[in-house]
């Protein structure tokens, strides 16, 4: 580049002030276009990251809803299992009373050994049913804890997905 005048020189209309190198101007323009394209590409990448983060958030929210339904279902199963325990307890108590009555009646010779044995079998069966119902209840209670743990994990996933969306949004704004 050639500069024909200095600061403070008097100039006239149409007088050349400077001679610019066209190659340098084209090179500078090409560099500016490349920088613009690079910036646009960076924005597109950032916007893709936002979209991906939003999709992860939506997935996490859906999984949270599924986990919440699982907790509710598990709680209903506990209620049903508790009802089964209560029913088995009533049957056990009735069979125990019948067994004790029949033991007295057998000692007094009022009933046969067969009648007593049948009452004893009903008692043992009710005892087994009660134990099974209690084990089922314990299993259902563990199911609730497991479902609650999965729900808590999904809550963390949602929080992480929100952060990812926020971070990606900051990246877009910075671009």
């Amino acid at each position: 580049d050639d500069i024909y005048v200095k600061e403070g020189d008097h100039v006239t209309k149409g007088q050349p002030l400077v001679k610019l190198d066209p190659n340098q101007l084209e090179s500078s323009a090409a560099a500016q276009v490349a920088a613009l394209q690079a910036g646009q590409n960076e924005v597109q990448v950032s916007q893709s990251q936002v979209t991906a983060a939003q999709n992860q958030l939506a997935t996490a929210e859906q999984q949270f809803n599924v986990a919440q339904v699982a907790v509710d279902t598990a709680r209903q199963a506990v209620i049903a299992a508790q009802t089964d325990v209560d029913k088995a307890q009533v049957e056990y108590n009735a069979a125990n009373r019948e067994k004790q009555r029949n033991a007295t009646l057998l000692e007094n010779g009022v009933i046969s050994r067969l009648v007593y044995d049948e009452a004893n079998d009903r008692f043992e069966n009710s005892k087994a049913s009660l134990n099974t119902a209690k084990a089922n209840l314990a299993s259902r209670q563990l199911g609730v804890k497991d479902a609650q743990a999965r729900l808590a994990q999904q809550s963390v996933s949602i929080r992480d997905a929100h952060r990812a969306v926020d971070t990606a949004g900051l990246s877009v704004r910075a671009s």
Side-chain angles (χ1 to χ4, degrees), residues 21-81:
D21 181 4
N23 292 333
Q24 187 178 9
L25 289 175
E26 287 176 19
S27 173
S28 178
Q32 293 295 325
V33 169
L36 174 63
Q37 288 174 340
Q40 289 172 335
N41 289 341
E42 188 177 322
V43 168
Q44 287 177 341
V45 167
S46 295
Q47 287 172 334
S48 295
Q49 290 171 341
V50 168
T51 301
Q54 288 170 335
N55 289 339
Q56 288 175 332
L57 175 59
T59 299
E61 287 172 340
Q62 288 172 344
Q63 291 173 343
F64 178 85
N65 291 338
V66 168
Q68 182 63 54
V69 168
V71 168
D72 295 342
T73 301
R75 286 179 177 154
Q76 289 299 319
V78 166
I79 292 169

Side-chain angles (χ1 to χ4, degrees), residues 1-169:
D1 293 343
D2 294 329
I3 302 174
Y4 301 128
V5 293
K6 295 180 186 160
E7 186 177 339
D9 286 352
H10 182 65
V11 294
T12 60
K13 184 177 179 181
Q15 174 185 354
L17 304 175
V18 67
K19 180 180 177 187
L20 299 176
D21 181 4
N23 292 333
Q24 187 178 9
L25 289 175
E26 287 176 19
S27 173
S28 178
Q32 293 295 325
V33 169
L36 174 63
Q37 288 174 340
Q40 289 172 335
N41 289 341
E42 188 177 322
V43 168
Q44 287 177 341
V45 167
S46 295
Q47 287 172 334
S48 295
Q49 290 171 341
V50 168
T51 301
Q54 288 170 335
N55 289 339
Q56 288 175 332
L57 175 59
T59 299
E61 287 172 340
Q62 288 172 344
Q63 291 173 343
F64 178 85
N65 291 338
V66 168
Q68 182 63 54
V69 168
V71 168
D72 295 342
T73 301
R75 286 179 177 154
Q76 289 299 319
V78 166
I79 292 169
Q82 182 62 55
T83 301
D84 291 344
V85 167
D86 294 344
K87 179 180 172 188
Q89 184 68 53
V90 168
E91 291 172 3
Y92 171 82
N93 292 343
N96 188 35
R97 282 191 307 271
E98 181 183 4
K99 176 186 170 188
Q100 289 174 355
R101 264 193 314 267
N102 284 346
T104 303
L105 293 174
L106 178 65
E107 286 177 15
N108 293 333
V110 177
I111 61 169
S112 69
R113 181 76 183 174
L114 176 67
V115 172
Y116 172 79
D117 287 344
E118 289 172 350
N120 189 49
D121 290 344
R122 281 190 294 278
F123 169 75
E124 292 299 326
N125 285 338
S126 69
K127 184 178 177 181
S129 293
L130 177 60
N131 288 336
T132 299
K134 285 180 178 179
N136 186 39
L137 174 60
S139 173
R140 299 300 178 179
Q141 289 169 332
L142 286 176
V144 168
K145 289 180 182 178
D146 181 53
Q148 288 172 329
R150 280 184 269 128
L151 184 64
Q153 288 172 340
Q154 289 307 316
S155 180
V156 170
S157 293
I158 287 174
R159 194 171 42 244
D160 290 347
H162 273 292
R163 277 192 216 120
V165 168
D166 293 343
T167 300

